[in-house]
Amino acid sequence: GNPSARVSLQVAADGRVISARLIGASRVEAMDSTITQLLEELKTVPGYRDYGLDGTTRTVTVTFRIR
């Protein structure tokens, strides 16, 4: 199958990334190292309050796939 990697993001309501980690490696070294670098640099994403959601933090799981 096609390689995929999963990451977990804990995001504050204003979009600040509180934590970001690789939770499922693709086992493709170049892909995993690129995703890890992205996670180290990721500081903000769109805040979910803008979409009518409430709460102080949300955990989001993102899957990256090579097709």
Side-chain angles (χ1 to χ4, degrees):
N2 295 338
S4 66
R6 290 182 24 192
V7 301
S8 176
L9 304 175
Q10 186 178 15
V11 180
D14 64 0
R16 285 178 298 114
V17 176
I18 298 166
S19 71
R21 61 190 180 98
L22 185 63
I23 58 172
S26 70
R27 300 176 196 241
V28 175
E29 185 177 339
M31 182 177 180
D32 293 338
S33 66
T34 300
I35 291 170
T36 300
Q37 182 179 1
L38 168 77
L39 296 179
E40 289 171 358
E41 297 176 11
L42 186 62
K43 304 296 182 214
T44 61
V45 296
Y48 55 83
R49 279 194 187 145
D50 297 339
Y51 300 98
L53 301 172
D54 61 0
T56 56
T57 63
R58 300 253 176 186
T59 300
V60 179
T61 302
V62 179
T63 301
F64 293 89
R65 287 191 178 96
I66 295 179
R67 294 185 180 198

